[in-house]
Amino acid sequence: MRKKLTTLVCTMFICINVFPQMNSTNRIYEVWDDQPAPNRGKQYSLIQAGGYPADPDWEAHSYPIGNGYMGANIFGRTDVERIQITEKTLANEGLYKLGGLTNFGEIYMEFNHSNPGNYKRTLNLNEAILHVDYEHNGVQYSREYLANYPENIIAIRLTSNQKEKISFTLRVEIPYLRSANESNTKFGTTRAENNLLTFSGKIKHFSLNYEGQIKVINEGGKLIAEDDNGAQIKVENANAVVLLIATGTNYKLSDKIFLQDIDSLKLDSKVFPGEEVSKRIQHAAEQGYNGLKKSHLQDYQNIFSRVKLELCSNVPDQPTKTLISNYMQNPRNVYLEELMFHYGRYLLIASSRKGTLPCGLQGVWSQYYVTPWTGGYWHNINVQMNYWGAFSANMREVFAPYLEYYQAYLPKANTLASKYIEANNPQALANDGNNGWTIGTGATAYKIGGPGGHSGPGTGGFTTKLMWDYFEFTQDTSFLSEIGYPALLGMSKFLSKTLLPDENGKLLVDHSASPEQSHNGKNPQTKGSTFDQGF
């Protein structure tokens, strides 16, 4: 009885305190640690869901920031800081020949500050700003990291409480330049000139050109650019330093990407992103760090501050790793659940914004050469799981990337529907060629497929439900007229043509397959599985 009463009270409390509002909770939510993240390197022998190499420290200890376009995993180290950069459109052949996310770049700052005192590494969820603070030889050092969406820039500011104390060497590495697999081979070079580090190159498989730039803006001290033993910039005796990071490729979301069957022709090899990246860097430099921080906070907090959720009366003053350890021993301490709710909202805002690609299996973060499951969009549950929070947590804007992605792949999805019906129920083919649309489980920024052995036609119906969820939440009749209803109608047309009568005259989806169900390692084909029939 006590357990039931507690559950009822908690449910009432949540219902009262989760609501749309423009005033943020008074609580400051932080994911934090009193130690830098370890960085013991990659493990090429450890394969995860087809992806490699694994990097357990990156996965378990680095803190992520992102602006939808790109993400950074930050280690907060004081000897050699590591900032791993991901850009959503950078892909090699990946798994299953679908194209897959791959590591864009590794940035290092060599401080050589050993045995720091009063160390704290903090990811502030209310602001989407990461802080690193510590003492070394009597000097207090601070760093701020943010990923600005309006300007598509990552900005870092380094300060100290004494003048002329900031010195470090900045360098960048392009990972995975050597490969036995020609389809995944990456070519690239780095160069340093004045206050700019540039790293650029090509991935042959999709004729993909990429470029990243890091601009160093120092207050006091001096900069020394070196190219002799690898591109690097030395900062000596500065009062403060700002780093601006921008990335880009020649990828542009359009229906042509999905309709083009020849991989090497999906992108225009004559288009290079360098000029656009340079303009972004210059515009960010003109605004200055304070301007970038201001626009970042205005943009991010407009979304994050709409929901208030409080499950307990106090906030424990403990590192997040301690909260997790304690929760495993005593799950009644529910602050961790409250924190993780807000952390989930933070991650979705950081990895899905209008004009960017959707949130994938790994959001916008991957250090991998070949990312597990391609890091793509899997339509038998994962896409849906990513975006359920967009509606229930009052963040309609973060669903925009999937709508843009859907509109780009729709012409291909129409042709896939006709091919599927022609192969499985040709007598149902429409005379006007309009057989609706469909999509299978696996999809990426470069390819989509139709229903297959892993999942049946229900993947499309499950995906279309997101469109209805969006309308139910927003009551946007323009969206319903232009996108939502046509999507529902097209999927209804397709699914009606997947039905065939069985021996008892019942209409069942045939062929049908229930996701994740297997027999002796193979997905069994059946008729009328709940997954397919339900849609």
Side-chain angles (χ1 to χ4, degrees), residues 58-131:
W58 174 90
E59 184 167 325
H61 298 285
S62 67
Y63 285 171
I65 64 172
N67 64 9
Y69 297 98
M70 58 177 167
N73 286 77
I74 296 159
F75 286 67
R77 297 190 62 83
T78 64
D79 51 0
V80 180
E81 170 66 301
R82 176 186 173 192
I83 305 167
Q84 185 272 319
I85 301 294
T86 309
E87 207 274 357
K88 273 186 185 170
T89 66
L90 188 79
N92 52 26
E93 181 186 48
L95 295 171
Y96 325 119
K97 300 186 183 300
L98 289 174
L101 205 59
T102 191
N103 190 337
F104 195 97
E106 299 275 1
I107 300 170
Y108 297 96
M109 292 188 284
E110 298 178 5
F111 297 103
N112 298 317
H113 291 170
S114 58
N115 301 315
N118 296 319
Y119 180 93
K120 189 173 184 180
R121 174 170 54 112
T122 308
L123 177 56
N124 183 309
L125 304 183
N126 302 67
E127 297 183 339
I129 295 178
L130 192 150
H131 302 266

Side-chain angles (χ1 to χ4, degrees), residues 298-325:
Q298 289 175 339
D299 168 73
Y300 173 79
Q301 291 182 331
N302 174 52
I303 302 175
F304 186 83
S305 64
R306 294 175 190 167
V307 171
K308 179 179 180 180
L309 171 66
E310 294 182 2
L311 301 179
C312 56
S313 58
N314 67 308
V315 177
D317 185 20
Q318 296 173 320
T320 307
K321 61 186 177 185
T322 304
L323 291 177
I324 295 171
S325 177

Side-chain angles (χ1 to χ4, degrees), residues 70 83 85 107 152-156 199 213-215 243-247 280-281:
M70 58 177 167
I83 305 167
I85 301 294
I107 300 170
N152 189 9
I153 286 284
I154 290 175
I156 306 168
F199 52 114
Q213 296 179 14
I214 311 168
K215 191 177 188 69
L243 304 181
L244 302 176
I245 304 169
T247 61
R280 231 184 309 137
I281 283 274

